[in-house]
Amino acid sequence: MQTFDHIIESLVDIIWGWPEAMPAMVVILLAFGLYITVRLGFIQIRKFTHGLKVVTGFYDDPDDEGDINHFQALTTALSATVGIGNIAGVALAIHIGGPGALFWMWITAIFGMAIKYTEVTLAQEYRETNPDGTVSGGPMYYIERGLGSNWKWLAVAFSISAAICAFLTGNAVQANTVADVMQSDFQISTWVTGLVTASLVAAVILGGIKRIGKVTSKLVPFMGVLYVAGAVVILLLNYDQVLPAFGTIISYAFNPMAGALGVGSGTLMLTLSFGVQRGIFSNEAGQGSAPIAHSAAKTDEPVREGVVALLEPLIDTLIICTMTGLVIVSTGAWDMQHKAAVNPATDSFSYTLTEGTANKSEVQSLYFSNGIPENGTMEHYNAPVDTMFTDANYSSPFTGRIELTESKNSDDYVVGDVYTKDGTELSTLYGGVVESGAPLTVRAFEIGLSPLFAGGGFLVTFAVLLFAISTSISWSYYGDRAAQYLFGFESIFWYRLAFVAMHFFGAVATLTTIWAFGDVMLGLMAFFNIVALFALSGKVYQITKSYFNKEHETPES
């Protein structure tokens, strides 16, 4: 199992992290985004209003082939893309790359709009009708039907990656996130949370895409408006900090500086690279997932669904991610220490010793006096911690030791027991730590809403719950279409049952390797899809030109 873990970690580094200065996958996705934007004449800008016209139902025809209307297709795709990345991903980008990373997320979104248009237009063009009258589409269909039978191997490879990714990243990881939040915030057992959320997911997905579309068309607008409304309230309360926050974001994008506590890279390439990566993860442009949902839309014009899809990166990244980023930067939460109860043994902590033995098998200790390390350092997300205490009132500074053993496989320490000076064993310490990911967003909302009421972070917690559940619902459809392509129409029901079971397993299990394996499959999906998009870009150009040259659709419409 340890060997398998190392293989997966190496694959993640190769797919998403090589070369370190600017990962090749990021370059490929950005290159295609720039290429297709220019080839289609900046369609994301010229035809933006046409997309709004389509999604509001102006062209809806219930007699058109398909399963759901344009708005339901948009919300189904958005329920998969709007999620943990908008809350945790933005915070992670700012923590590692500094505020300037948000600017590069914006750039990614602009190019991502053209990518989404391209892949969804192709999905509509090459979709197929199933025996029960429903439709199926996505990269596997436009690869085989658009590029020919010689490319079927690529379609199969994409489908395998998509089916596994849906099982893991789009399902088990989401369930695990919800279960962790409920356990840490409300002390609810993970199996209880897993049972409830698995039941909710099952109730929706076993009804097929029509029920999924009905649920997401109500859930996505509700959760999106609720989260953005909370952010808007914070920005209104801190109105004098909004313009300076924009200034910081733009300034740090080109001249990044590390924060006072060492937060942020201070290097342009890492700020740019991490901003782009988080942008791609957030809006999923080029990954090939959204076209599967959009292919179910009722329309006889592929371009109409394409212009609907280009709205997704705008909503996901340019609006929701921006709200998250502005709250984090304007409140100053990104570069300050926050009081928290901490477990010294979690992976977010790292330790160094200035003295001690070099024997890796021998237990060493980091000693504390009045809450301050004496013979080394204790860091949280690579930023120094503040004074450590033994009580939640922060009145008793920690004097004692944290036992450490050097890992045989890395330079990190394995944390053992924590003892006070009198020998009392502790599992929790209290102190000031720099946060990252979802906890950073929670802290920013707590700070921002504190003038009105306490506990503003629970709004983020509630959003995480809704986002994670809706993501599982939509990814179930992506996975069952991939299973159908691989094993036939009859496999869909069994895939859905397995999906529900995996959701419960994800809630109760430790998923470190599953997270990484899901990232590998996600990267492979994107690579296989981008190959097809480059090859079929000429076809998209022809479809686009033909549609907008029709009498009822002038180029200005």
Side-chain angles (χ1 to χ4, degrees), residues 76-88 169-171 173-175 177-178 201 216 219-229 282 284 315-316 320-321 324 438 441 445 459-475 503:
T76 298
L78 275 175
S79 67
T81 58
V82 177
I84 306 303
N86 300 83
I87 295 174
T169 302
N171 185 31
V173 166
Q174 306 300 320
T177 301
V178 172
V201 170
T216 58
L219 182 59
V220 171
F222 170 74
M223 68 185 187
V225 169
L226 179 67
Y227 182 75
V228 170
S282 179
E284 298 184 6
I315 297 170
D316 175 273
I320 299 179
C321 287
T324 301
T441 307
F445 271 72
L459 175 62
V460 178
T461 300
F462 184 57
V464 167
L465 301 183
L466 292 181
F467 288 161
I469 292 172
S470 69
T471 297
S472 290
I473 289 171
S474 291
W475 270 93
H503 187 94

Side-chain angles (χ1 to χ4, degrees), residues 165-246:
C165 186
F167 231 47
L168 305 181
T169 302
N171 185 31
V173 166
Q174 306 300 320
N176 189 261
T177 301
V178 172
D180 278 349
V181 168
M182 297 303 289
Q183 185 177 52
S184 61
D185 289 357
F186 306 107
Q187 289 73 55
I188 298 175
S189 297
T190 56
W191 73 266
V192 174
T193 300
L195 188 62
V196 171
T197 58
S199 298
L200 291 173
V201 170
V204 177
I205 71 173
L206 294 180
I209 184 58
K210 292 184 179 180
R211 186 180 297 173
I212 292 172
K214 288 179 181 178
V215 171
T216 58
S217 67
K218 296 178 176 62
L219 182 59
V220 171
F222 170 74
M223 68 185 187
V225 169
L226 179 67
Y227 182 75
V228 170
V232 168
V233 169
I234 292 173
L235 297 180
L236 289 175
L237 291 172
N238 295 274
Y239 68 91
D240 57 329
Q241 296 299 317
V242 174
L243 288 180
F246 271 111

Side-chain angles (χ1 to χ4, degrees), residues 90-105:
V90 177
L92 185 63
I94 291 175
H95 174 79
I96 295 179
L102 184 59
F103 175 86
W104 298 110
M105 291 183 72

